[in-house]
Amino acid sequence: QVQLVESGGGLVQPGGSLRLSCAASGIIFSNYRMEWYRQAPGKPRELVASIISVDNTNYADSVKGRFTISRDNAKNTVYLQMNSLEPDDTAVYYCNARSLVTWDTARWGQGTQVTVSS
């Protein structure tokens, strides 16, 4: 059974940084594209960043140059380094695992709240 546990959220001032982590279990981690999503109040969930390998990453235009996704296959963990945070980055952040074979995704974890406010 796949389990995804996000952590690292919190309250940060505009211009600040946070590093989110997502620990995955129940999967062969290297066989999955790992993805970070976010959902702000009243808005649909959106894909923020994804990673297959260090040379194969993608970002939403809104976070390019500010966010960096990375993964540690030995620890079954994906990270999202968020710099130059803006109030519009306020949301619940979720990770997900997408199978590179079936393209199916796992059940959502509980997410981690990120609030950018002065």
Side-chain angles (χ1 to χ4, degrees):
Q1 183 176 351
V2 181
Q3 187 173 17
L4 303 169
V5 180
E6 301 94 338
S7 62
L11 172 64
V12 63
Q13 292 187 343
S17 298
L18 281 175
R19 188 194 195 204
L20 306 183
S21 300
C22 170
S25 58
I27 58 173
I28 300 174
F29 190 72
S30 58
N31 289 350
Y32 286 75
R33 184 176 89 168
M34 297 304 296
E35 304 170 340
W36 281 102
Y37 293 78
R38 67 185 180 187
Q39 188 166 22
K43 295 186 177 180
R45 194 168 299 187
E46 64 170 341
L47 179 62
V48 173
S50 65
I51 182 168
I52 294 176
S53 67
V54 66
D55 296 320
N56 193 337
T57 60
N58 285 285
Y59 297 92
D61 287 343
S62 58
V63 306
K64 277 182 183 176
R66 300 188 299 120
F67 291 9
T68 302
I69 189 170
S70 61
R71 65 190 293 163
D72 186 336
N73 288 349
K75 295 182 178 180
N76 283 12
T77 300
V78 62
Y79 305 97
L80 187 67
Q81 177 67 44
M82 306 186 296
N83 299 328
S84 302
L85 282 161
E86 305 167 352
D88 282 349
D89 296 317
T90 295
V92 179
Y93 284 72
Y94 302 86
C95 72
N96 212 320
R98 185 178 299 276
S99 168
L100 293 173
V101 177
T102 66
W103 215 236
D104 291 336
T105 56
R107 185 178 301 177
W108 295 103
Q110 83 288 350
T112 186
Q113 175 70 49
V114 172
T115 303
V116 184
S117 175
S118 55

Coordinates of all heavy atoms in Angstrom, one line a residue, residues 1-6 22-27 29 34 76 95 97 106-110:
Q1 N 0.9 -1.2 0.0 CA 0.0 0.0 0.0 C 0.9 1.2 0.0 O 1.8 1.4 0.8 CB -0.9 0.0 1.2 CG -1.9 1.2 1.3 CD -2.8 1.1 2.5 OE1 -2.8 0.1 3.2 NE2 -3.6 2.1 2.7
V2 N 0.6 2.1 -1.0 CA 1.4 3.3 -1.1 C 1.0 4.3 0.0 O -0.1 4.5 0.3 CB 1.2 4.0 -2.5 CG1 2.1 5.2 -2.6 CG2 1.5 3.0 -3.6
Q3 N 2.1 4.9 0.6 CA 1.8 5.9 1.6 C 2.8 7.1 1.3 O 4.0 6.9 1.1 CB 2.1 5.4 3.0 CG 1.7 6.5 4.1 CD 1.8 5.9 5.5 OE1 2.4 4.9 5.7 NE2 1.2 6.6 6.5
L4 N 2.2 8.3 1.3 CA 3.0 9.5 1.1 C 2.8 10.4 2.3 O 1.6 10.7 2.6 CB 2.5 10.2 -0.2 CG 2.5 9.4 -1.5 CD1 1.8 10.1 -2.6 CD2 4.0 9.2 -1.9
V5 N 3.9 10.9 2.9 CA 3.8 11.7 4.0 C 4.6 13.0 3.8 O 5.8 13.0 3.7 CB 4.3 11.0 5.3 CG1 4.3 11.9 6.5 CG2 3.6 9.7 5.5
E6 N 3.9 14.1 3.7 CA 4.5 15.4 3.5 C 4.8 16.1 4.8 O 4.1 15.9 5.8 CB 3.6 16.3 2.6 CG 3.2 15.8 1.3 CD 1.8 15.0 1.3 OE1 1.4 14.6 2.4 OE2 1.2 14.9 0.2
C22 N 8.7 14.9 1.2 CA 7.7 13.9 1.1 C 8.3 12.5 1.1 O 9.1 12.2 0.2 CB 6.9 14.1 -0.2 SG 5.8 12.7 -0.7
A23 N 8.0 11.7 2.1 CA 8.5 10.4 2.2 C 7.5 9.4 1.7 O 6.3 9.4 2.0 CB 8.8 10.1 3.7
A24 N 8.0 8.5 0.8 CA 7.1 7.5 0.1 C 7.4 6.1 0.6 O 8.6 5.8 0.9 CB 7.2 7.6 -1.4
S25 N 6.4 5.3 0.8 CA 6.6 3.9 1.1 C 5.6 3.1 0.3 O 4.6 3.6 -0.1 CB 6.5 3.7 2.6 OG 5.2 4.1 3.0
G26 N 6.0 1.8 0.2 CA 5.1 0.9 -0.5 C 5.2 0.9 -2.0 O 4.4 0.3 -2.7
I27 N 6.3 1.6 -2.5 CA 6.5 1.6 -4.0 C 8.0 1.4 -4.2 O 8.8 1.6 -3.3 CB 6.1 2.9 -4.6 CG1 6.8 4.1 -4.0 CG2 4.6 3.1 -4.6 CD1 6.5 5.4 -4.7
F29 N 10.5 3.2 -5.5 CA 10.5 4.7 -5.7 C 11.1 5.1 -7.0 O 10.6 6.0 -7.6 CB 11.3 5.3 -4.5 CG 11.3 6.8 -4.4 CD1 10.1 7.4 -3.9 CD2 12.4 7.6 -4.7 CE1 10.1 8.8 -3.8 CE2 12.3 8.9 -4.6 CZ 11.2 9.5 -4.1
M34 N 7.9 11.7 -9.4 CA 7.4 12.3 -8.2 C 6.9 13.7 -8.5 O 7.6 14.4 -9.3 CB 8.4 12.3 -7.1 CG 8.8 10.9 -6.7 SD 7.4 9.9 -6.1 CE 6.9 10.8 -4.7
N76 N 13.9 7.3 -0.5 CA 12.5 7.3 -0.9 C 11.8 8.6 -0.6 O 10.7 8.7 -0.2 CB 11.7 6.2 -0.3 CG 12.0 4.8 -1.0 OD1 12.9 4.7 -1.7 ND2 11.2 3.8 -0.6
C95 N 2.3 15.9 -2.3 CA 3.1 15.2 -3.3 C 2.3 14.0 -3.8 O 1.3 13.6 -3.2 CB 4.4 14.7 -2.7 SG 4.3 13.4 -1.5
A97 N 2.9 10.2 -6.4 CA 3.8 9.4 -7.1 C 3.1 8.8 -8.4 O 2.0 8.3 -8.2 CB 4.3 8.2 -6.2
A106 N -0.9 7.7 -7.1 CA -1.2 7.1 -5.8 C -2.3 7.9 -5.1 O -2.7 8.9 -5.6 CB 0.1 7.1 -4.9
R107 N -2.7 7.4 -4.0 CA -3.7 8.1 -3.1 C -3.0 9.3 -2.5 O -1.9 9.2 -2.1 CB -4.2 7.2 -2.1 CG -5.4 7.8 -1.2 CD -5.8 6.7 -0.2 NE -6.3 5.5 -0.9 CZ -6.7 4.4 -0.2 NH1 -6.6 4.4 1.1 NH2 -7.1 3.4 -0.8
W108 N -3.8 10.4 -2.4 CA -3.2 11.6 -1.9 C -2.8 11.5 -0.4 O -3.6 10.8 0.4 CB -4.2 12.8 -2.0 CG -4.4 13.2 -3.4 CD1 -5.5 12.9 -4.2 CD2 -3.5 13.9 -4.3 NE1 -5.4 13.4 -5.4 CE2 -4.2 14.0 -5.5 CE3 -2.3 14.4 -4.2 CZ2 -3.6 14.7 -6.6 CZ3 -1.7 15.1 -5.2 CH2 -2.4 15.2 -6.5
G109 N -1.7 12.1 0.0 CA -1.4 12.2 1.4 C -2.2 13.3 2.1 O -3.1 13.9 1.5
Q110 N -1.8 13.7 3.3 CA -2.5 14.7 4.0 C -2.1 16.1 3.7 O -2.9 17.1 4.0 CB -2.3 14.5 5.6 CG -1.1 15.1 6.1 CD 0.2 14.4 5.8 OE1 0.2 13.3 5.2 NE2 1.3 15.0 6.1

